[in-house]
Amino acid sequence: MKTLLITGGTNGIGKGLAKYYLTTGNRVIIVSRTKGDLPNAIYLQADLSLASENYRIIENIQRTYGAIDGLILCAVLQTARKDALITQEGLEFTFALQYLSRYILSNRLAFNDDSFILNVATPGIYSPVNFDDLEYRRKFNSVKANANANRLNDLLGAGFKRKGVRYILYNPMAVKTSGAMSVFANPLMRIFLRLVHRLVGHEVDEIVNSIVDVLKESRSKSFSAYRLSKPVDLSMKTFNSHKAKQLEEITKNVILNI
């Protein structure tokens, strides 16, 4: 029996993967704001937009369950917002939840040998990282803030190095989930998004099957990225090693100043 930790596992892809691992006889720990409804899953409630909550969860898991075999990062807030939302620790919410939490969990949790981290984001899409405003507070736009957080996750994966732990970035593209429908505030854009998902959107079960295949395929690689089942070219600018190091230094300073 392996131990898997899933963030954002109460709906969508996270819940689908939780179901899969439970049916295959594994221990599944789900960290989310609210408790879900999967029998036999272990639910830990936390606000992962706060660094302090990430550290509390890490301590709880390591004290109670020890090292884990897989970390699946799905926690995200896609709902359109006009204004930046500042956490109790003084960070913009999107940056804190969708990047900083993933950085802390990836680097601070204890892993068994031959473990994996699956970061569900959007690798394979190019957009520049806004190093002058990583939190995207100035001229805030929730769509752009989400995109910037995803580029930060590209660099997180590219710079990640822990012996015995492989890092996989995964882009599910269009998925038929309620969260994916709330990205835009503009009613016309919502109608367009609904049409796109109807035409080319994938069911959660399809994505789960794709991820299971990707996890098998990537076993021999320390770092890999996929769009659905297709490998992403790791020579893309979004995986620049120098920028990955630059981001890590900035991130360490952010954590020190919280």
Side-chain angles (χ1 to χ4, degrees), residues 138-149:
R138 298 192 293 272
K139 297 182 180 179
F140 182 82
N141 176 294
S142 59
V143 174
K144 292 182 179 179
N146 271 282
N148 201 57

Side-chain angles (χ1 to χ4, degrees), residues 151-170:
R151 298 293 69 77
L152 299 183
N153 279 296
D154 286 349
L155 294 176
L156 169 57
F160 185 84
K161 288 179 177 61
R162 286 185 70 176
K163 186 178 179 181
V165 185
R166 57 198 166 100
Y167 209 100
I168 306 105
L169 286 163
Y170 184 81

Side-chain angles (χ1 to χ4, degrees), residues 78 174-184 193 197:
Q78 295 176 297
V175 189
K176 295 177 181 178
T177 63
S178 57
M181 298 299 180
S182 62
V183 173
F184 296 106
L193 190 63
H197 280 72

Side-chain angles (χ1 to χ4, degrees), residues 43-234:
Y43 287 96
L44 301 177
Q45 291 175 254
D47 179 357
L48 292 178
S49 71
L50 299 175
S52 58
E53 284 285 86
N54 283 271
Y55 294 134
R56 179 179 66 82
I57 287 296
I58 290 169
E59 182 182 355
N60 184 338
I61 289 170
Q62 292 182 175
R63 182 179 63 250
T64 309
Y65 306 104
I68 64 173
D69 300 285
L71 170 63
I72 299 172
L73 299 163
C74 295
V76 63
L77 178 65
Q78 295 176 297
T79 306
R81 286 184 285 118
K82 292 182 180 179
D83 301 308
L85 176 62
I86 307 303
T87 71
Q88 294 174 2
E89 294 176 339
L91 299 175
E92 203 290 312
F93 186 91
T94 302
F95 169 85
L97 176 65
Q98 291 166 226
Y99 167 67
L100 191 62
S101 168
R102 297 181 184 210
Y103 174 91
I104 293 171
L105 294 172
S106 297
N107 284 282
R108 298 295 181 89
L109 279 163
F111 291 89
N112 290 314
D113 288 338
D114 194 26
S115 298
F116 71 87
I117 298 173
L118 178 78
N119 189 335
V120 179
T122 61
I125 296 174
Y126 176 76
S127 59
V129 173
N130 187 349
F131 274 101
D132 293 329
D133 186 14
L134 284 184
E135 298 179 49
Y136 232 94
R137 291 200 198 195
R138 298 192 293 272
K139 297 182 180 179
F140 182 82
N141 176 294
S142 59
V143 174
K144 292 182 179 179
N146 271 282
N148 201 57
N150 281 317
R151 298 293 69 77
L152 299 183
N153 279 296
D154 286 349
L155 294 176
L156 169 57
F160 185 84
K161 288 179 177 61
R162 286 185 70 176
K163 186 178 179 181
V165 185
R166 57 198 166 100
Y167 209 100
I168 306 105
L169 286 163
Y170 184 81
N171 184 346
M173 305 296 286
V175 189
K176 295 177 181 178
T177 63
S178 57
M181 298 299 180
S182 62
V183 173
F184 296 106
N186 185 300
L188 291 177
M189 288 301 296
R190 289 200 175 199
I191 292 171
F192 172 74
L193 190 63
R194 192 174 293 113
L195 178 61
V196 168
H197 280 72
R198 184 177 299 170
L199 293 174
V200 299
H202 300 275
E203 299 291 347
V204 169
D205 287 347
E206 293 179 65
I207 298 302
V208 169
N209 291 334
S210 172
I211 288 173
V212 170
D213 290 340
V214 160
L215 289 173
K216 292 176 182 176
E217 182 183 326
S218 64
R219 288 190 67 88
S220 62
K221 305 168 187 175
S222 60
F223 172 54
S224 55
Y226 292 82
R227 291 179 69 176
L228 294 176
S229 300
K230 185 177 179 180
V232 171
D233 183 359
L234 297 182

